[in-house]
Amino acid sequence: MAVTIWYWQTNPDQQIKKTLVTMAELGSSPAGESSIAKALKTRRLDEYFSEDAFIEWPGDEVIPAGRWAGREQIVQQVLAAKNSATYKVEINDLVIEIKQRKRAATAKFTLLVREGVNTTWAWLGEARLIKDRGQWLVTQLAFSSILR
């Protein structure tokens, strides 16, 4: 049993999946969450982005095109979004490709953002990650619209 747990915890695919799912949870803004809790959870996102990470998206009917560069700007923009709306972020259809002797990876997924019961937005996402001192860090997140 101990070998199974050790393998699961040290398996790069499982580590990356846990990283991305945790990031989605930290980036969510559940109903009833206090502004202090939102700030504390958002600040924890620091742990999952490299210093020079960036997020970019082409824009669509929901949000205009944009780019956030640097860990600090990403965290501040996520906090601003959390303070203006209530929503849940989910990662689905995750496919991970490990590269360079398990030191780099690419993860492709569907990002779902649910606001209330009847409103859901979805984007295709691609994350590039590096392993730094035993932890997977996101260096780049790029999103594109899902064709309807």
Side-chain angles (χ1 to χ4, degrees):
M1 176 74 163
V3 172
T4 303
I5 292 170
W6 176 83
Y7 176 76
W8 187 89
Q9 291 176 338
T10 59
N11 179 302
D13 285 41
Q14 293 301 326
Q15 292 172 341
I16 291 168
K17 179 179 180 180
K18 183 176 186 218
T19 295
L20 294 173
V21 167
T22 300
M23 291 176 75
E25 290 169 358
L26 293 173
S28 293
S29 181
E33 187 173 60
S34 73
S35 59
I36 292 173
K38 287 179 185 185
L40 291 172
K41 283 174 56 178
T42 304
R43 182 51 53 197
R44 284 194 50 220
L45 283 171
D46 258 358
E47 302 168 21
Y48 298 95
F49 285 104
S50 67
E51 184 70 34
D52 58 350
F54 66 91
I55 301 175
E56 61 187 0
W57 59 93
D60 56 25
E61 69 275 2
V62 179
I63 53 174
R67 178 182 168 108
W68 298 337
R71 180 172 36 206
E72 187 60 34
Q73 182 184 26
I74 292 168
V75 170
Q76 291 302 318
Q77 294 293 337
V78 170
L79 182 57
K82 289 175 75 164
N83 285 328
S84 67
T86 299
Y87 57 87
K88 180 178 181 182
V89 180
E90 297 175 24
I91 302 284
N92 287 339
D93 307 321
L94 181 60
V95 177
I96 299 168
E97 180 185 347
I98 308 295
K99 304 174 185 177
Q100 300 174 1
R101 299 183 194 208
K102 300 182 181 180
R103 307 279 311 147
T106 300
K108 295 181 180 181
F109 54 90
T110 303
L111 181 79
L112 295 175
V113 178
R114 298 182 195 281
E115 186 176 39
V117 177
N118 298 321
T119 306
T120 301
W121 296 286
W123 294 273
L124 296 176
E126 181 174 311
R128 296 187 187 238
L129 303 98
I130 57 167
K131 193 163 192 180
D132 183 31
R133 289 173 268 173
Q135 180 178 347
W136 287 98
L137 299 175
V138 172
T139 60
Q140 175 184 347
L141 274 174
F143 296 99
S144 58
S145 297
I146 293 179
L147 297 176
R148 297 174 211 270

